[in-house]
Amino acid sequence: MTAVAEPSVSDLTAALAERLRATVGTERVLTDRTQTRTYECDGLANFKVTPAIVVLAESRQHVVDTVRLCSQARVPFVARGSGTGLSGGALPSSDGVLLVLSRLRSLGAVDADNRQVTVEPGVINLWVTRDAAPYDLAYAPDPSSQLVCSIGGNVAENAGGAHCLKYGFTVNHVLGAEVVLPDGEVVHLGGRAPEHPGYDLLGAFIGSEGTLGVATELTLRLIRVPEAVQTMLVGYRSVEDAAGTVSDIIGAGIVPAAVEMMDALAIEAAEAAVNCGYPAGAVAVLVIELDGPQVEVEAQFRQVEEIAQRRNAFEVRIAADDAERALMWKGRKSAFAAVGRISPSYYVQDGVIPRTKLPEVLAEMKRMADAKGLRVANVFHAGDGNLHPLVLFDDAVEGQAHEAEELAGAILELCITSGGSITGEHGVGQEKRMKMAKQFTPEDLDTMQLLRCAFDPDGIANPGKVFPTPRLCGERPGVRKGEHPVQAAGLGEVF
């Protein structure tokens, strides 16, 4: 009997591309490498993969058709929004489809009475607050990239932002989602009502990084614009005093809308980029914002000012109007990009620690950086201990990029040993998946895999992300003996 040869990967993708062209339109399907290379990475350029096929979806039906055809062909797919993610979460598969959602930009009418709005995943974060502003409403999650990042990407990564200390992350502001499952079926999770009975599948979907399906419509919760907002910029001669101020504020029972911290290197970069006028000679600064009823804000603001003075603040600057407030925030919001002014290259990291451990963790990070001959600029959400260390290096110096990546990984392990987490809001993606086994037990990871497999038994939705090693949904969770079949095939490695 003559054996029938299995079709090659290139044959499968070529056939799929033809079916996609016939279904969603030739002009929306890219296969020319000179075009598909545009999508080889997200905001984390350390990892690059050119996808075999790019689909530029313009409607929910395009998404449904694309996912269904991928499922039938058993070809992997990865969903992408604006591409601003910083963990390689939207890194394509070389033998798969990259499903681009940035053209799904319908923003429904604001339902002011119920304080909600329904949007498509390509809608830019800041557009939601722009449309809600005439009703004295706003969308609370405000990542630094809110000028360009999409709501769909925010949902995939459970994005936060400066004001998540008081208002919570994306998961706290999404009421419902229309989701295309990995087999092409359309389901609705949650809805327009504030609460729903049964398991919280919506909560499981938010932050799942595209491994459970693709959102095509999202109903967002809006908040009332606070009566009063007051912002102060505080300069310190030591990181310890700045970090101690944060703990003292929270310990006094005050929950600010935001407490952001920048160290001397981050301040230097921001000044070079946007001339934000932060206190000269500051080793660290805090941007502290309070909002709420006028009387409450005024009383708490006086308390915060007193706490800062007790912690040896050498300058306390209070924003007199919206223009001064915007300038205080300009330095913080520009910090990531501004670092390019003081370093040829940099590696953005994201981890979480208990805020009471800020001084010792920052000191240890400096020691680790000095040992490698590198510098680390720190800019972060101090109120909830969400660090964003920026490891500075020069690509032109042989070996420095590798040293920077090693240091970034060591910082994550420091976060774990300090009682924290490997991510606060950037997600796990491709970058941090090998660190998952350091934070979670094998039983934890098996349980997560069971949830993933319930949504995606074929493992085609954003494969190779989040989990440390490839796993098949047919495998039995628990202790395994002998060589793993994926390892035997040379596709994975046991850590």
Side-chain angles (χ1 to χ4, degrees):
M1 180 181 291
T2 304
V4 178
E6 290 289 328
S8 68
V9 170
S10 58
D11 289 340
L12 285 172
T13 55
L16 176 59
E18 285 306 309
R19 289 196 293 273
L20 285 166
R21 290 188 181 101
T23 305
V24 305
T26 301
E27 70 280 9
R28 300 185 186 93
V29 180
L30 309 179
T31 55
D32 185 327
R33 185 174 171 82
T34 59
Q35 294 177 305
T36 59
R37 279 193 64 189
T38 303
Y39 302 93
E40 66 184 1
C41 67
D42 58 12
L44 182 67
N46 303 61
F47 303 101
K48 294 181 180 180
V49 175
T50 302
I53 304 170
V54 173
V55 174
L56 305 175
E58 295 184 13
S59 68
R60 181 188 72 170
Q61 195 57 48
H62 290 160
V63 177
V64 172
D65 291 340
T66 300
V67 171
R68 183 174 292 128
L69 288 172
C70 286
S71 176
Q72 290 170 359
R74 298 291 178 91
V75 169
F77 68 87
V78 177
R80 174 189 169 109
S82 294
T84 57
L86 292 170
S87 64
L91 188 74
S93 295
S94 61
D95 59 347
V97 173
L98 186 70
L99 179 54
V100 179
L101 306 173
S102 57
R103 296 183 178 184
L104 274 71
R105 291 190 165 189
S106 172
L107 203 165
V110 172
D111 180 352
D113 291 338
N114 291 301
R115 298 186 187 179
Q116 56 188 235
V117 64
T118 298
V119 306
E120 288 187 327
V123 166
I124 301 303
N125 176 289
L126 198 57
W127 294 358
V128 181
T129 289
R130 179 201 65 191
D131 278 24
Y135 304 93
D136 288 327
L137 299 172
Y139 181 61
D142 61 338
S144 295
S145 58
Q146 67 180 150
L147 282 168
V148 290
C149 66
S150 64
I151 293 296
N154 292 172
V155 168
E157 304 295 342
N158 191 23
H163 292 82
C164 65
L165 172 62
K166 180 174 183 177
Y167 292 104
F169 288 73
T170 297
V171 69
N172 304 111
H173 299 275
V174 177
L175 293 167
E178 178 185 80
V179 176
V180 180
L181 297 179
D183 64 356
E185 180 186 357
V186 178
V187 298
H188 293 85
L189 308 178
R192 294 175 62 84
E195 298 292 339
H196 294 270
Y199 295 120
D200 184 14
L201 297 178
L202 177 63
F205 179 79
I206 298 169
S208 62
E209 304 191 30
T211 62
L212 304 184
V214 183
T216 51
E217 189 177 86
L218 298 148
T219 300
L220 308 179
R221 185 196 311 272
L222 302 174
I223 63 168
R224 177 68 61 191
V225 172
E227 178 186 5
V229 178
Q230 288 196 4
T231 308
M232 72 168 65
L233 177 68
V234 189
Y236 295 88
R237 303 289 187 195
S238 77
V239 169
E240 290 76 13
D241 282 334
T245 299
V246 177
S247 294
D248 290 350
I249 290 171
I250 305 297
I254 300 169
V255 181
V259 183
E260 300 291 295
M261 184 168 167
M262 297 169 65
D263 69 6
L265 266 179
I267 296 167
E268 178 187 343
E271 290 292 352
V274 298
N275 192 28
C276 50
Y278 283 178
V283 173
V285 296
L286 293 178
V287 179
I288 305 171
E289 188 161 282
L290 300 175
D291 67 15
Q294 183 75 42
V295 174
E296 178 185 284
V297 169
E298 289 177 356
Q300 291 186 342
F301 207 72
R302 287 192 295 271
Q303 284 182 268
V304 169
E305 191 173 0
E306 291 169 3
I307 290 169
Q309 298 288 6
R310 288 200 300 267
R311 282 287 185 171
N312 305 311
F314 73 87
E315 184 173 339
V316 177
R317 194 180 302 168
I318 299 171
D321 52 33
D322 287 345
E324 287 192 10
R325 176 173 171 257
L327 185 60
M328 289 180 182
W329 277 109
K330 189 175 183 180
R332 167 60 186 91
K333 291 281 187 178
S334 68
F336 282 11
V339 168
R341 295 294 188 101
I342 62 171
S343 178
S345 302
Y346 60 94
Y347 197 112
V348 181
Q349 197 48 281
D350 164 55
V352 182
I353 60 170
R355 58 179 164 263
T356 53
K357 293 195 174 182
L358 278 171
E360 60 193 79
V361 169
L362 293 175
E364 178 61 15
M365 281 169 48
K366 185 177 188 314
R367 186 199 65 75
M368 292 160 58
D370 289 345
K372 287 187 173 290
L374 298 172
R375 298 183 298 165
V376 176
N378 285 289
V379 49
F380 52 91
H381 311 310
D384 54 7
N386 185 186
L387 304 180
H388 293 313
L390 301 156
V391 181
L392 314 185
F393 66 98
D394 188 348
D395 258 330
V397 178
E398 187 176 354
Q400 264 206 11
H402 176 70
E403 289 291 319
E405 190 171 341
E406 279 196 346
L407 177 57
I411 288 171
L412 290 183
E413 293 186 20
L414 174 62
C415 289
I416 295 171
T417 57
S418 300
S421 167
I422 62 172
T423 180
E425 57 183 347
H426 292 178
V428 176
Q430 171 74 18
E431 178 201 19
K432 302 176 187 174
R433 62 193 184 94
M434 293 305 177
K435 300 297 182 187
M436 287 285 279
K438 293 187 177 291
Q439 180 168 346
F440 298 101
T441 66
E443 293 77 16
D444 292 332
L445 294 172
D446 279 335
T447 302
M448 294 181 202
Q449 283 280 6
L450 288 172
L451 176 64
R452 168 181 164 262
C453 292
F455 279 78
D456 181 22
D458 293 329
I460 62 171
N462 208 8
K465 312 292 169 50
V466 181
F467 296 100
T469 53
R471 283 284 304 280
L472 303 177
C473 289
E475 295 175 35
R476 183 182 181 87
V479 177
R480 293 174 287 276
K481 296 182 179 180
E483 192 174 35
H484 193 288
V486 173
Q487 184 188 17
L491 300 174
E493 192 174 352
V494 174
F495 288 84

